[in-house]
Amino acid sequence: MSAPDTLSLPVTASVHEHAWVTESVHATSEGRVRYVRCTGCRARRVDLDPAAATPPVPLSREV
Ligand SMILES: [Zn+2]
């Protein structure tokens, strides 16, 4: 297997541990979508916090 099955993203020369900071958060039915950016380089990423991780807790009874 000489061809790695990855996305056709450009490979950055400098590999470092990204320091992700959240730029914006959007609540979706899939969970919270977070748009993050690395402070050390220009890398960006989209993270998803699964909705199942924190199920909603009712604060009141049904009325
Ligand atoms: Zn980085």
Side-chain angles (χ1 to χ4, degrees):
M1 283 204 265
S2 58
D5 184 23
T6 58
L7 298 174
S8 60
L9 294 173
V11 178
T12 53
S14 62
V15 176
H16 71 122
E17 189 149 352
H18 294 300
W20 299 113
V21 291
T22 302
E23 285 196 313
S24 60
V25 181
H26 300 277
T28 70
S29 59
E30 301 288 319
R32 289 197 315 160
V33 175
R34 288 188 292 117
Y35 293 82
V36 296
R37 175 176 56 86
C38 176
T39 58
C41 66
R42 291 255 173 150
R44 286 166 182 265
R45 199 173 68 180
V46 181
D47 286 356
L48 173 66
D49 295 337
T54 54
V57 178
L59 292 176
S60 70
R61 302 183 126 194
E62 292 180 19
V63 291

